[in-house]
């Protein structure tokens, strides 16, 4: 049942229509506040209104507000709500979706929907903050391992990520501006990881600096921005892209400040290069290692995004499969951009299938955390190193070329990742409902 073909409306008096309007706008507000894409916000709130008896429902979104109108028997009620971002919480998003589906099936009336909404609003903390901190730090250590770091560098990455994540949680609890939180977190994390260069820890401490700050990747705003643009919500997409850009800028400023304090301006790697030709046994071992160290970050970031507990195993499986597919394609001499695109498209396709087959939830519940291990942290870090070197020693065509090359590589990899993840939804859903 879609918003284009509403069911036959039941009788609503004025008080009942007011209640339906409040429930619809509350569902839209919860979805928007906790990280749902715009198409899902409009679709769920509209379908909920039809299920509760409205003959027509219209929902309009801006970056910081919602305007919703219900119509019954020619009588129109319009209400508006201000939106305040509350972070990403896929448990709340999934809960609101299930309430709408239960209302469509006739299992919940207005009173039941109201009570269910109150229960969902109490699910704002799914996992204990210390558990999230520990898993995110382990995830960053796994990123380092996937990039070729030895165990001392992984331990350094873990220590830096623990300190940085604790700073992020502390400043977030004090309600500081998100950009300042990201900047301070990136500075502390990079400063601690950079001590490995001073004391020559492991085979390449640069990897620790690049991996430890990946916990600051604005995955949901970035992916939702492209989804919104591709599905016609241009103003929302631009707003979310601006938010992702500002958060990335804050992280970049923190990293650059830490690099300047430590006096680091070049990448002098001592890590061993991967051999050009591998035996079948070597490839199998490489894939097993890849699957293991990609599944852990997928779970860690799923906890950070408050994914429902029963979906964690699917996030781990998709994370391992996606990163393993990208690695296998690169070994087959496929370019990194296309390898990343095909791996992200595979994760997105399986996420759509899982959402419909098992949990009737949005695919992003499974997919966004799963693609985080594929984010291009090393090229982005090298680009910032080149920028610091230009600031320190002055402009030269060679330094500028290195900086541009790394920024372009980062941009192409990131674009391939985001578009590959969004492509299956565009192919499979079209004008159909998202759940």
């Amino acid at each position: 049942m879609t918003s284009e073909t509403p069911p036959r409306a039941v009788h609503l008096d004025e008080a009942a229509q007011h209640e339906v309007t409040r429930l619809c706008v509350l569902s839209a507000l919860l979805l928007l506040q906790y990280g749902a894409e715009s198409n899902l916000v409009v679709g769920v709130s509209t379908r909920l209104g039809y299920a509760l008896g409205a003959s027509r429902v219209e929902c309009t979104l801006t970056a910081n507000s919602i305007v919703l109108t219900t119509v019954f028997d020619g009588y129109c009620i319009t209400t508006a709500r201000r939106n305040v971002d509350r972070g990403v919480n896929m448990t709340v998003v999934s809960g609101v979706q299930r309430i709408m589906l239960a209302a469509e099936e006739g299992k919940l009336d207005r009173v039941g929907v109201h009570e269910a909404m109150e229960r969902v609003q109490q699910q704002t903390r799914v996992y204990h903050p210390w558990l999230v901190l520990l898993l995110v730090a382990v995830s960053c250590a796994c990123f380092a391992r996937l990039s070729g770091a030895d165990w001392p560098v992984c331990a350094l990455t873990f220590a830096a990520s623990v300190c940085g994540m604790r700073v992020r949680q502390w400043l977030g609890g004090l309600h500081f501006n998100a950009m300042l939180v990201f900047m301070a977190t990136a500075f502390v994390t990079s400063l601690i990881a950079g001590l490995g260069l001073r004391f020559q820890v492991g085979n390449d401490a640069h990897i620790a600096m690049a991996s430890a700050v990946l916990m600051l990747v604005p995955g949901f705003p970035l992916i939702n921005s492209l989804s919104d643009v591709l599905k016609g919500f241009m103003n929302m997409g631009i707003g979310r892209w601006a938010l992702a850009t500002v958060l990335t800028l804050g992280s970049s400023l923190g990293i650059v400040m830490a690099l300047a304090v430590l006096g680091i301006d070049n990448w002098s790697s001592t890590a061993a290069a991967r051999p050009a030709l591998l035996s079948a046994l070597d490839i199998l071992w490489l894939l097993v290692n890849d699957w293991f160290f990609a599944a852990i970050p997928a779970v860690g970031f799923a906890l950070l995004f408050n994914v429902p507990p029963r979906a964690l195993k699917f996030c781990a499986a998709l994370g391992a499969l996606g990163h393993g597919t990208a690695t296998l394609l690169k070994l087959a001499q496929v370019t990194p951009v296309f390898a990343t695109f095909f791996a992200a498209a595979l994760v997105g396709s399986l996420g759509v299938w899982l959402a419909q087959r098992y949990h009737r939830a949005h695919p992003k519940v499974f997919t966004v955390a799963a693609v985080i291990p594929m984010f291009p942290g090393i090229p982005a870090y090298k680009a910032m190193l080149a920028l610091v070197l230009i600031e320190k020693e002055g402009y030269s065509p060679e330094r500028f070329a290195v900086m541009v090359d790394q920024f372009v590589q980062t941009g192409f990899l990131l674009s391939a990742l985001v578009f590959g993840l969004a492509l299956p939804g565009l192919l499979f859903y079209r004008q159909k409902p998202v759940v």
Side-chain angles (χ1 to χ4, degrees):
M1 181 180 301
T2 70
S3 58
E4 287 78 8
T5 57
R8 183 180 177 87
V10 299
H11 178 72
L12 294 176
D13 57 25
E14 183 177 348
Q17 187 176 349
H18 275 287
E19 179 66 14
V20 169
T21 306
R22 284 192 290 267
L23 291 173
C24 290
V25 79
L26 176 59
S27 68
L29 187 63
L30 288 174
L31 291 171
L32 194 60
Q33 286 179 334
Y34 288 106
E37 64 176 65
S38 300
N39 193 44
L40 181 66
V41 176
V42 173
V44 169
S45 59
T46 301
R47 291 168 63 186
L48 180 62
Y50 289 146
L52 294 179
S55 56
R56 187 169 181 83
V57 182
E58 298 288 347
C59 181
T60 302
L61 305 178
T62 68
N64 58 1
S65 65
I66 299 171
V67 178
L68 186 137
T69 299
T70 62
V71 179
F72 177 76
D73 198 21
Y75 186 70
C76 173
I77 296 178
T78 299
T79 186
R81 295 290 187 276
R82 185 171 70 91
N83 174 53
V84 177
D85 183 68
R86 299 188 184 279
V88 178
N89 192 321
M90 288 292 101
T91 297
V92 171
V93 172
S94 299
V96 174
Q97 289 177 251
R98 290 195 177 93
I99 291 171
M100 178 271 295
L101 292 171
E104 283 189 334
E105 294 168 357
K107 297 177 181 179
L108 293 176
D109 56 8
R110 292 192 301 273
V111 175
V113 169
H114 179 79
E115 294 174 349
M117 287 289 186
E118 289 185 343
R119 290 193 296 270
V120 165
Q121 292 180 79
Q122 298 172 1
Q123 297 176 324
T124 55
R125 176 179 290 181
V126 182
Y127 304 103
H128 195 280
W130 284 102
L131 176 63
V132 175
L133 183 149
L134 178 63
L135 263 295
V136 169
V138 172
S139 300
C140 292
C142 290
F143 290 147
R145 188 66 178 173
L146 289 170
S147 299
D150 58 9
W151 291 112
V153 171
C154 291
L156 175 64
T157 306
F158 176 81
S161 300
V162 165
C163 297
M165 191 63 190
R166 187 67 191 117
V167 169
R168 179 179 177 178
Q169 290 178 335
W170 175 58
L171 294 178
L174 296 176
H175 305 290
F176 277 96
N177 181 272
M179 180 180 174
L180 295 178
V181 173
F182 272 54
M183 183 169 63
T185 302
F187 176 76
V188 171
T189 305
S190 300
L191 197 64
I192 295 172
L195 295 177
L197 290 171
R198 293 296 184 188
F199 297 102
Q200 298 298 312
V201 175
N203 62 338
D204 191 356
H206 281 288
I207 296 177
M209 296 189 69
S211 302
V213 294
L214 285 178
M215 62 181 172
L216 298 174
V217 169
F220 262 93
L222 194 62
I223 293 169
N224 282 342
S225 67
L226 180 63
S227 296
D228 288 348
V229 169
L230 293 176
K231 295 174 183 178
F233 297 89
M234 192 63 64
N235 61 333
M236 292 294 296
I238 293 173
R240 281 172 159 160
W241 183 271
L243 174 62
T245 302
V246 168
L247 295 179
T248 303
L249 177 62
S251 302
S252 301
L253 289 175
I255 295 170
V256 168
M257 286 191 294
L259 293 174
V261 169
L262 295 169
I264 299 170
D265 54 21
N266 62 77
W267 183 294
S268 53
S269 174
T270 58
R274 181 176 291 172
L277 296 176
L278 298 173
S279 67
L281 188 60
D282 290 334
I283 292 175
L284 179 60
W285 171 248
L286 178 64
L287 286 176
V288 171
N289 182 77
D290 202 78
W291 291 334
F292 179 77
F293 287 106
I296 295 174
V299 174
F301 278 83
L303 265 63
L304 186 63
F305 299 150
N306 290 294
V307 167
R310 61 180 178 175
L312 293 178
K313 58 182 178 291
F314 298 110
C315 294
L318 291 180
L321 182 62
H323 201 280
T325 300
T327 300
L328 195 60
L329 290 173
K330 291 173 188 176
L331 290 175
Q333 305 303 312
V334 177
T335 61
V337 171
F338 283 106
T340 301
F341 173 79
F342 288 128
L346 176 62
V347 171
S349 300
L350 291 175
V352 170
W353 179 77
L354 284 170
Q356 295 178 336
R357 173 76 174 174
Y358 289 104
H359 293 283
R360 303 168 77 189
H362 196 274
K364 286 189 175 71
V365 172
F366 309 99
T367 57
V368 175
V371 300
I372 293 294
M374 291 189 283
F375 269 76
I378 299 296
Y381 176 72
K382 288 183 177 180
M384 281 182 278
L385 276 180
L387 185 63
V388 171
L389 184 60
I390 290 175
E391 189 276 333
K392 181 178 180 181
E393 299 185 6
Y395 170 85
S396 73
E398 293 79 10
R399 294 170 190 152
F400 184 76
V402 170
M403 181 189 71
V404 171
D405 176 70
Q406 295 298 329
F407 271 121
V408 169
Q409 184 180 353
T410 302
F412 273 108
L413 289 171
L414 198 57
S415 300
L417 183 65
V418 174
F419 187 72
L421 189 62
L423 183 62
L426 298 175
L427 293 175
F428 295 138
Y429 287 135
R430 298 186 295 277
Q431 298 301 317
K432 293 162 59 179
V434 294
V435 291

